[in-house]
Each structure stands twice: as structure tokens, then as C-alpha cells.
Amino acid sequence: MCTCIEKQQKLGLILSEYQNKSGGLIPVLQKAQGLYGYLSEDIMFKVADGLGVKPSVVYGVATFYTQFRFSPVGEHIIRACHGTACHVSGAENITRIMADKLGVEPGKTTADMKFTLDRVACLGCCSLAPVVMVDSDVYGRLDEARVEEILGNY
Amino acid sequence: MYMMEKVRIIVGLGSCGIAAGGKKVYERFKQEIDSRGLDVILEETGCRGMCYHEVLVDVVSPYGRGPYGHVTPEMVKEIVDTHVLDGYVVPEFLVPLEDRMSLYKQQRIVLRNCGEISPESIDEYISNNGYQALEKALKQMSPEEVIDEITRSGLRGRGGAGFPTGVKWGFASKSLGNEKYFICNADEGDPGAFMDRSILESDPHSVIEGMLIGSYAIGANHGYIYVRAEYPLAIQRLKIAIQQAKDRGFIGEHITGSDFGFELEIKEGAGAFVCGEETALISSIEGNRGMPRLRPPFPAICGLYGKPTNINNVETLANIPWIIMEGAKAYASFGTEKSKGTKVFALAGKIRRGGLVEVAMGMSLRDVIFDVGDGIAGGHEFKAVQLGGPSGGCIPASLLDTPVDYESINQTGAIMGSGGMVVMDETICMVDIARFFLNFTQNESCGKCTFCRIGTRRMLEILERIVAGNGDQNDIELLEELAQSIGKTSLCGLGQTAPNPVLTTLKYFRDEYESHIRDRRCLAKACKELISFAIIDEQCKGCGLCIKVCPAEAVTGEKKKLHVIDADKCVRCGQCVAKCKLGAIARVDRY
């Protein structure tokens, strides 16, 4: 329970920091998501309240940007790159194999809440294609065989 | 007394270097140095552009200099033993001479410091003439003179549209108002482009210095750098650089003793491709949904918070200090009549030397790809090069002599774009590439304009059915009609250019569309629904590798006997083809 109260206090601090700043909504949502891992309805209402904007505005902004999530995420986030270079180097297969091994479709989280598998547009490591990022670790020049090895690191 | 210079070991730690295992190599060097108590300097640097040789380590000693490529932690001990202690380079680990020589075919202005200095050291930047251009501008030039210099240099916006930078600054400078903003657009979103990431990771101060000079020229006192959230290392290094610049008095009030003051903040994007469009970017900084609005009024008149605002891209800004130091004439001596200077390209895809290159404008695509980039990887054949990402197009082999300048590239139907150059070989299906880009733009359409929102979806659906072998005779016509309407009726660049990947592939690879529709055949044998896999009897030795790798248990056969693929069970993932060392599995037409 105490972490819950701690988080609420931190959110309160974030909100008061940005209360009178123009353009604060996106940084607040980013920090709130950093705190909770995702944006629940409850959090979005609190943000609206704290910044003095309508909940519909908060929801509208949050749903516009792909960075924001509305359901809990796993312990590790896998970002499978689907940029042009990765696409022509077999990203589709890598993601497929990863999804099969984890037993979840892209965009979803495993039942044990260990991994969330995401497809992303481009990680900008095109010369190492195909690329997968797990949390902040980047794995390049992947082939099917390395998928299992990578998942085993976590 | 002659003082021998200390040996320097420099590890490349841009995103590519780190992805290839650079941190482990760095740590191993640190261990070796510490455990033996060696008196050498261990440093990190950013991207050298030779991504295909990462991890790159440069050892600089009085006996010789070795850029070592593909360095692994296991190679560290030998490099220390032989090069650092005994003074001999380790020839077998060196980057091959011809790859090192390829650097001389480039003209590095923007990338002048990348891979040369530590991105986290303002001292190294300063010792490479850093912040001297700012001092020159503030002390010796009026804002008008700065604008005039940039205008005469012929520099055009490197974000894609190619608008003359000096003219843009002139508009913002003439705009009335005592509060103006200067924004650096670092929302590099084109899949296949990574120049801006590398510049920010390797030489952040050059971008900051460019912003400072530009802000002085237009009279802005507040700036933002809008960076993609997907680039954590770039954000981290920018934060360090901004703090260092503040500590040295390059950011703040009375910069270098002048009356000019400037504050700079980083804004992290939240993931929306359309925010690369300037009015959408402004809306996003203001905390709103990043949707473009009608222009005019242009941001130079009415931008961020309704104030005059100038927006430039990362690469454009990194050029500025060089132009101020060396002069407009020196810059304009590179390039063609209408496209001056250099352009950085991100070479990726099926190319041998994948990485960042900077060449003088006007070099032919052929020279960039086959000379600087060393041609196609893996013994394949060149088929097309994709320029300009989702707004650009695929240029075929017959147009390889096109010079890289804004006008010539536009004539092909592609665009220069931000500099992503994805090279494709004969195994890539052009209809699938068009589908890939439409899928991207369709996802990223903000939804404001009806034709972009719905039209791109219809185009995607048509392309999806073509690659699945369910295309209709009228589909090509329908695609062309939709493409025209979307281009004409969309407000911003995203929608206006979204049909380009389809239009260029239709123009140059129409036969591929036709064979998908008419014969249900994919000429590149890439579209899953239209191919199957078959074992070539004479080649198969019955080794069983394909049986092991098949996720669908579709391959059967006894050891040392001919294997067979069950087409009904096969999911056409292609893993068996990749695994087979004998080339005994072929992709064949399904229909």
C-alpha cells in the first residue's frame, strides 16, 4: 500500500510543478506513465483535475500519441522494429517467432506479466537491421535463432 | 625532453556501437587498463558512420593508429598486448584499407566531429573550433549579415522540403514582435533514416551552436529541441550538452559578453510521425494533439503560442557553424547550381557498407550506392533504392545516374527527403514495399483530412488484397485515382505525399502489380500467399537442418535421404531457406 501512497504523492508533485506552465500536459502524462507504467482512467482524471483541464482533453491528447498506454505493461517491454530496413531484412518473421515463443500477439502482454511485445515504426538503428529493443538494450543483426537466446536474458 | 604522448583508446558508443556490444568492449578495456595499471586514456565517441564495422575501436599511439572493426571483448586483450604495450598494430583486426579509404570519397561538413570527439565533452568540441562561429557572429556580424551569409551559402532545409534556410530566417527576422521562438525539429520519424539521431548522439554542441546563431539572427530568445522519445541516448547527450553550454555561458544571459540572451529546453515527443510537420510540432509543444493547421499564416508570422517562430531540422543546423566559420563561398563551392553543399545519407537495407555518409550534392546515386556504399550485399542484384521514406519513392536501376540534388530527385517522382536511402535487391517485392509504406502512413494519419484518413485506408486495403493474390483488374486504376485525390485534398505533407510510394512503384514496376493481379505471381517470390517452398532433389543431402528449424513440422524425411515439404502444413516463414547451407530449398510460384 505504501508504494501506492508514495506514487500519489509523486504525482501530486509533478502536477504542481506543471500547474501553471503552458504546454505541460504531455510532459505530465509522460511522467505519470513513468510512475505507473500506464495511464489508467483514474490517473487521467487526476491529471485533468490537477492541471485544470477537461478530462476529454486529457484523453484526447493521450490517445493521439503512440507512447501512451492504457493497460498495465509487463516487466520488460520488447520493441520489435518494423522500419523500412528491418522490413526488408525479415522483421515480420522475427516478430512472428517472438509472438509464437511468448504466446502473445504484438501489442499484448504475457499472462505472467513478464513481457509486453510491441511493434514499433523505426528505432533508427537501420544499419543493424533487423533490430529488437528489450527495455533499453538494443539487439541488432538478428536471425531467427537468436530470438530464444535474447528472451532467455530476461 | 621529448614527452611521449599517451596512448588513446577510443570506443565508438553511438546507438549502433552500443547495439553491437560497444559497452562490453569498453568495460573490458577498462578492466585491462585498471588491472595492469596502464597509463593510457580511454574515451568514448559517437558514430563514425561505419555502422557495418561496429564495434569500432580507435587506438591512437605514437607507433601507429588502428581503427579496429567488429571488436569483441575477446579481442581486447590482444589489442592491449600488441598495440598498446608492444607498439604494433594488430593487422587482422583492422578495418580493411578499402573501407577506410571510402571515407575520402565523402565530404564531411555536418559530420565533421562525429566519431572524432567525445559527445559528452564540451572541451573537445571547443578544441575543434567549437563555439567560435557563435563568437564570430556575436562579435563581428550583425543579425542581417548572418542571414545574408546563410542565404548566400545556398543552404536549403535538410528536413525534406528543401526551403532556403537564409530566406526562412529572413521572414522570421522581419516578423514583428519582441518575443520569438527558435525550434530544432529532431522528430526524425522516417523509417530508414537515422542521420539526425547520429548527429545528436555524436556532436550535440554543433546543433546547439547552430540554434544559437540562428536565434541571434532572427531575434529569438527562447528555443526548444523537439526530440523523438525513441531516441533516449540523443536526449541524454543533449541534456548534458545544454548543461555544459550553460555552465560556460553559451546559454543564458549576455552570451560571450554580448546583449544576446537565450534559453533552451528539450521537449520529448510522444510518438506521432505527423509531428515532424511544423504546425503539428508546434501544436504538440503547446501540449495539444499534434495536428497540422492551414498555412498561411506561416510559423514565421504566427507560430508557437501565436509568436513568430522559426523551425529548422537537425542537419540544417549542424551546417551553420561551419558556414559562419568558413564562409558562404566555401560552402557553395560544393554541390550543384541549385543544391549547394553536402547531404548526409543513411545507407541501409541490402547494402554492403551500411551507415552514414556525407557527400557533396550532385554525386550520382550510382556513386553513392556502388562506390561509397560498395554495392549490394550478399552477391545479389540491385533492384531499387528507396528515398524519402513514406513521402518518397523507389528509384529503379535505369535511373541510377540521377544526381542527388533536390530537383533531379523530384523529377524521378521520389523526393530527397531527410536522407534515408534504403537499398533493395531482387528478393524484395515492390508491391509489398508500397503496402508497407501505406500501412505506415495510414497508421500515422492524424485523421483531420478525410481523404488522408479514409483514402489511405482504402489504398492499403487494395494493396493488401493484391499481395494476397486477390487483386481485381481495376485495382491499378483505382489506386491511381485515389492517389490523385489524396494528394490534392490533404492539408499537410503527410497526406500530400502519402501516395508517392505507390505512384513510383506503379511507374517503374508496373509489371509486378500486373503479375500479382493477373497471374497471382509475385515476381520477387516474396509475397507469402503467392509462393510455396520446394526441395530441389539434386541438392538435398538429407542433413535434417530444415526439419529441426521448421516451426510447423512441415518438413519430413529420414537422415541422408531426400526431405519433403508438406505444402498444407507449411506456414511459409522461410526459416528453412535461411538455414539450408546447400541452397536446396527454393521459393516457387504457388499458382
Side-chain angles (χ1 to χ4, degrees), chain A residues 67-147:
Chain A
Q67 188 187 19
F68 299 117
R69 307 165 170 282
F70 307 98
S71 53
V73 284
E75 198 184 327
H76 303 287
I77 299 176
I78 303 170
R79 294 182 176 87
C81 183
H82 284 260
T84 321
C86 289
H87 178 76
V88 301
S89 308
E92 211 55 65
N93 256 339
I94 302 280
T95 306
R96 187 70 260 146
I97 291 162
M98 226 160 214
D100 287 348
K101 290 240 188 308
L102 293 171
V104 285
E105 284 305 301
K108 296 277 191 287
T109 302
T110 53
D112 62 359
M113 297 302 285
K114 194 162 179 200
F115 291 105
T116 298
L117 177 63
D118 271 347
R119 292 167 67 107
V120 296
C122 186
L123 294 169
C125 300
C126 310
S127 52
L128 297 174
V131 174
V132 162
M133 202 167 160
V134 185
D135 301 332
S136 58
D137 303 328
V138 181
Y139 297 93
R141 296 180 189 129
L142 286 184
D143 55 37
E144 286 82 357
R146 275 190 65 204
V147 169

Side-chain angles (χ1 to χ4, degrees), chain A residues 8-83:
Chain A
Q8 277 198 19
Q9 283 173 342
K10 278 188 186 160
L11 183 64
L13 285 175
I14 295 165
L15 285 167
S16 53
E17 188 193 336
Y18 283 91
Q19 212 159 28
N20 298 312
K21 270 194 192 169
S22 42
L25 179 53
I26 294 171
V28 166
L29 289 174
Q30 285 170 328
K31 288 188 177 179
Q33 179 161 290
L35 205 57
Y36 289 94
Y38 73 108
L39 300 173
S40 66
E41 217 175 278
D42 182 45
I43 295 166
M44 285 191 276
F45 271 110
K46 284 203 174 90
V47 169
D49 217 29
L51 295 180
V53 293
K54 290 196 180 84
S56 61
V57 172
V58 175
Y59 188 72
V61 168
T63 50
F64 185 83
Y65 296 97
T66 51
Q67 188 187 19
F68 299 117
R69 307 165 170 282
F70 307 98
S71 53
V73 284
E75 198 184 327
H76 303 287
I77 299 176
I78 303 170
R79 294 182 176 87
C81 183
H82 284 260

Side-chain angles (χ1 to χ4, degrees), chain B residues 7 36 106 215 249 268 445 457 476 479 514 518 534 565:
Chain B
V7 174
R36 303 194 208 185
Q106 301 185 32
S215 300
E268 289 181 35
S445 169
R457 163 128 301 250
I476 293 181
L479 279 174
E514 286 167 351
R518 198 182 49 222
I565 299 174

Side-chain angles (χ1 to χ4, degrees), chain B residues 225-432:
Chain B
I225 305 180
Y226 187 92
V227 198
R228 284 183 87 192
E230 288 90 337
Y231 288 176
L233 186 63
I235 293 172
Q236 183 197 332
R237 289 193 173 151
L238 266 175
K239 279 184 181 159
I240 294 171
I242 290 174
Q243 190 54 48
Q244 289 171 338
K246 273 185 189 163
D247 293 345
R248 299 295 176 96
F250 295 122
I251 294 175
E253 286 175 29
H254 301 291
I255 295 168
T256 67
S258 69
D259 288 337
F260 173 61
F262 189 68
E263 290 304 329
L264 183 56
E265 276 179 62
I266 295 174
K267 279 276 177 184
E268 289 181 35
F273 176 68
V274 71
C275 287
E277 199 278 344
E278 54 184 17
T279 59
L281 189 151
I282 287 171
S283 175
S284 179
I285 293 182
E286 290 171 347
N288 306 318
R289 288 162 71 94
M291 288 161 101
R293 64 157 175 79
L294 193 68
R295 297 177 303 178
F298 285 91
I301 310 287
C302 175
L304 187 61
Y305 304 121
K307 309 284 185 207
T309 303
N310 180 77
I311 303 178
N312 288 125
N313 141 286
V314 171
E315 188 186 334
T316 315
L317 290 169
N319 273 301
I320 302 293
W322 193 94
I323 297 172
I324 295 295
M325 285 310 289
E326 309 293 327
K329 218 175 147 189
Y331 191 77
S333 70
F334 300 111
T336 63
E337 194 197 332
K338 286 184 176 165
S339 303
K340 300 292 185 197
T342 60
K343 177 77 195 89
V344 182
F345 289 104
L347 293 179
K350 308 284 186 176
I351 190 151
R352 213 185 70 80
R353 289 191 193 126
L356 276 198
V357 300
E358 181 174 359
V359 297
M361 292 267 195
M363 188 184 259
S364 72
L365 282 170
R366 187 186 303 281
D367 286 347
V368 177
I369 295 165
F370 288 92
D371 196 13
V372 180
D374 203 26
I376 311 304
H380 289 280
E381 241 175 79
F382 175 89
K383 181 169 185 179
V385 55
Q386 211 284 340
L387 250 75
S391 310
C394 292
I395 300 175
S398 58
L399 294 176
L400 269 176
D401 290 315
T402 307
V404 283
D405 66 60
Y406 290 95
E407 280 72 23
S408 307
I409 299 289
N410 280 349
Q411 268 180 14
T412 67
I415 61 162
M416 179 83 97
S418 55
M421 219 185 239
V422 183
V423 176
M424 299 174 193
D425 63 19
E426 80 282 359
T427 64
I428 310 294
C429 171
M430 291 295 132
V431 189
D432 178 63

